[in-house]
Amino acid sequence: VLTAAATAIAEMDPMSIENLITSVGPFSLSKLPRIAKVAKAAKVTRVSRRITMAGLEHSFDRHAAEWFGGAVTRERHFEAWRALIERVAESRQVIRWDLKGRPTIAHLGRVPLPHTQGPGRHFVVQFFEDTGELATAFVPHAQQLTQMFGRL
């Protein structure tokens, strides 16, 4: 753990180190696992994200029906889809993931459903790690959620 923490901190920019210290608080050896996790997350979040029309169209065509249920149309659902992606892209639950073997940065969020009480549904927005462009967005299934929670 000490090596992981030292490596992650060494790769951070000064502002991220300041944020790390602020979020973790006074140093103690018992906090090394937390420091390593926060430092790793800070490194992951350095890539600038861009929501592109190609990413929106791809994710809408493949996954919008999962969120909205049933048939979807661009005229009726596309702007709500865009807003959903923008909202979840702000999530601080960020992990490394992949899309068909290509590395991505995934944001995991839980979004309340309209006209319902309760915790809402999980939703994932992925950005390509190398370009920062929107890769896809989807409702994760139980196995994906378990894996994602394990990486947080």
Side-chain angles (χ1 to χ4, degrees):
V1 172
L2 181 58
T3 304
T7 301
I9 292 169
E11 295 174 350
M12 294 171 68
D13 60 73
M15 185 54 91
S16 294
I17 293 172
E18 182 179 329
N19 292 338
L20 169 67
I21 293 167
T22 302
S23 67
V24 173
F27 178 79
S28 72
L29 287 177
S30 66
K31 290 190 177 182
L32 280 177
R34 170 90 174 117
I35 291 170
K37 189 178 234 182
V38 171
K40 182 178 174 185
K43 183 179 178 191
V44 168
T45 60
R46 267 194 261 166
V47 175
S48 175
R49 300 344 183 246
R50 289 193 329 270
I51 297 174
T52 63
M53 188 54 71
L56 283 170
E57 289 173 347
H58 161 82
S59 61
F60 182 85
D61 292 343
R62 298 231 175 160
H63 303 290
E66 298 167 6
W67 180 260
F68 296 109
V72 294
T73 64
R74 286 189 191 268
E75 295 77 26
R76 185 167 177 211
H77 298 98
F78 195 76
E79 287 308 312
W81 182 252
R82 176 195 302 266
L84 174 64
I85 288 172
E86 289 171 350
R87 177 180 182 160
V88 175
E90 297 295 320
S91 170
R92 292 179 160 233
Q93 291 186 307
V94 179
I95 56 170
R96 289 185 186 279
W97 203 248
D98 73 87
L99 178 62
K100 297 181 181 179
R102 187 171 171 190
T104 63
I105 296 166
H107 292 253
L108 174 61
R110 192 169 195 133
V111 181
L113 297 172
H115 314 294
T116 63
Q117 302 272 324
R121 291 175 74 189
H122 285 98
F123 194 75
V124 175
V125 176
Q126 288 179 267
F127 295 89
F128 289 116
E129 193 172 279
D130 57 349
T131 65
E133 292 180 357
L134 177 63
T136 194
F138 61 96
V139 176
H141 57 68
Q143 182 180 5
Q144 289 170 315
L145 272 177
T146 300
Q147 292 172 339
M148 290 178 174
F149 287 139
R151 294 186 189 186
L152 286 174

